[in-house]
Amino acid sequence: MRAAALAFAVIVTVPLQAADTDYRLQPEPVAPGTYLVAGVPENFSRSNGGNIANTAFVVTGAGVVVIDTGPSKRYGQQLRAAIARVTAEPVVAVYLTHHHPDHALGNQAFADVPIRALPGTIEGLREQGNDFNSNLFRMVGDWMRGTDPLLPAEAVAAGSVRIGTHEFELIPNAGHTAADLAILDRTTGTLFSGSVFNGRTPATPNAVIADWIASLDRLAALNAERIVPAVGAITDNRAIAEDIDWLRWLDETLHEAAGRGADMAEVLRLPIPARFNDFALLREEYERSVSHLYPAIERASLGVRD
């Protein structure tokens, strides 16, 4: 324990140069008044500062609505500066799609405006936010300086919200995490979802696969004109279909392996179908998914109750 504490101290106290902690955020217009701020489809690292997920914002005429705040206080501050380069309208609301750290640890930069999320997202941040924060300090270092989890102050539920000229439909889902908020801007036909992955292998640390597939089916039924995914370029229902294909294959493969008594080491070595070869982080994310999901599947196959 003492050695681990010392190692952690070394990681978080060695500063990077100021230039190294510039995320260089570039808002990209994707629909009227709507901007994507793209993350990179990579693992957390000191080179990317945790900027591995998309954030977005909508200029409504009555203020800016921000969707997700990024992985750190520094990111959140730079996101606000990027918004100010686009519009003089103030930020009037923030919505979090879910509680994962790359989506919600920039909250401190928006402490002066309402931060809204599903009750399950608020609870997830309450339970796991400090651990997320500590882990990111270990993985990305000085990018996280000054970051602390900040809980959303306003819980939301299903319904419509009009802000300026935009009407947003709030759509609660679950599966990627215990609480996944999708937001459909009916004014532009844009769907914002942190549970859709485009060109990147879906991440499963809090996943319930059956619930996730059901949620994706519901999102596909909306037939949105465009989707702002958790990671990757602006997309449409094709990305949802690819995500469902992956999740079904993953679930069936793990259950089949458990049914024939395969151990985890064997499951980790299983081949992945070539149709998924274009997914970023394919083997790495598969191996993480095995570690996340297989123990419970294996226990269930043996009739062991948690």
Side-chain angles (χ1 to χ4, degrees), residues 118-135:
L118 293 171
T121 297
I122 298 172
E123 186 59 28
L125 275 173
R126 180 179 290 111
E127 292 178 352
Q128 300 181 26
N130 287 327
D131 289 339
F132 284 157
N133 200 44
S134 295
N135 287 338

Side-chain angles (χ1 to χ4, degrees), residues 39-304:
V40 293
E42 299 174 353
N43 291 317
F44 290 116
S45 71
R46 288 174 179 252
S47 63
N48 62 40
N51 180 21
I52 66 170
N54 294 334
T55 60
F57 63 93
V58 181
V59 183
T60 71
V64 177
V65 173
V66 173
I67 298 164
D68 288 339
T69 62
S72 68
K73 178 181 179 181
R74 190 185 303 271
Y75 180 101
Q77 291 169 333
Q78 292 181 21
L79 177 59
R80 288 199 82 157
I83 293 169
R85 295 196 298 269
V86 170
T87 178
E89 292 186 21
V91 176
V92 295
V94 171
Y95 288 90
L96 300 183
T97 60
H98 60 289
H99 77 289
H100 283 165
D102 44 335
H103 295 262
L105 285 182
N107 285 359
Q108 285 167 286
F110 298 91
D112 59 325
V113 298
I115 301 177
R116 299 166 178 163
L118 293 171
T121 297
I122 298 172
E123 186 59 28
L125 275 173
R126 180 179 290 111
E127 292 178 352
Q128 300 181 26
N130 287 327
D131 289 339
F132 284 157
N133 200 44
S134 295
N135 287 338
L136 277 192
F137 264 107
R138 294 183 179 96
M139 288 185 281
V140 310
D142 204 52
W143 297 87
M144 299 297 294
R145 185 177 295 276
T147 302
D148 287 302
L150 176 67
L151 297 182
E154 297 187 15
V156 299
S160 295
V161 178
R162 175 167 287 278
I163 302 177
T165 59
H166 291 252
E167 182 177 355
F168 301 96
E169 182 178 352
L170 307 182
I171 306 166
N173 276 310
H176 177 45
T177 71
D180 301 318
L181 178 65
I183 303 169
L184 177 62
D185 183 350
R186 293 201 172 275
T187 305
T188 64
T190 303
L191 177 67
F192 304 88
S193 173
S195 60
V196 176
F197 288 70
N198 183 23
R200 191 242 194 246
T201 315
T204 60
N206 301 115
V208 177
I209 299 298
D211 292 347
W212 196 349
I213 291 172
S215 294
L216 291 172
D217 280 333
R218 288 191 292 271
L219 294 182
L222 297 171
N223 289 313
E225 291 184 34
R226 68 191 61 80
I227 299 172
V228 178
V231 64
I234 298 299
T235 186
D236 54 25
N237 278 358
R238 287 173 293 184
I240 293 179
E242 291 173 352
D243 289 347
I244 290 173
D245 186 23
W246 168 260
L247 292 170
R248 282 181 175 151
W249 174 82
L250 177 66
D251 192 53
E252 290 168 2
T253 297
L254 299 188
H255 278 87
E256 186 276 333
R260 59 183 169 81
D263 63 24
M264 185 178 290
E266 179 184 347
V267 178
L268 287 168
R269 296 192 300 269
L270 289 176
I272 300 172
R275 68 182 185 273
F276 300 119
N277 282 352
D278 289 338
F279 280 12
L281 304 176
L282 179 60
R283 177 55 64 173
E284 298 98 316
E285 204 60 66
Y286 169 73
E287 291 174 356
R288 281 192 285 265
S289 291
V290 172
S291 68
H292 298 150
L293 302 172
Y294 194 63
I297 292 173
E298 191 175 28
R299 288 194 300 273
S301 74
L302 297 172
V304 178

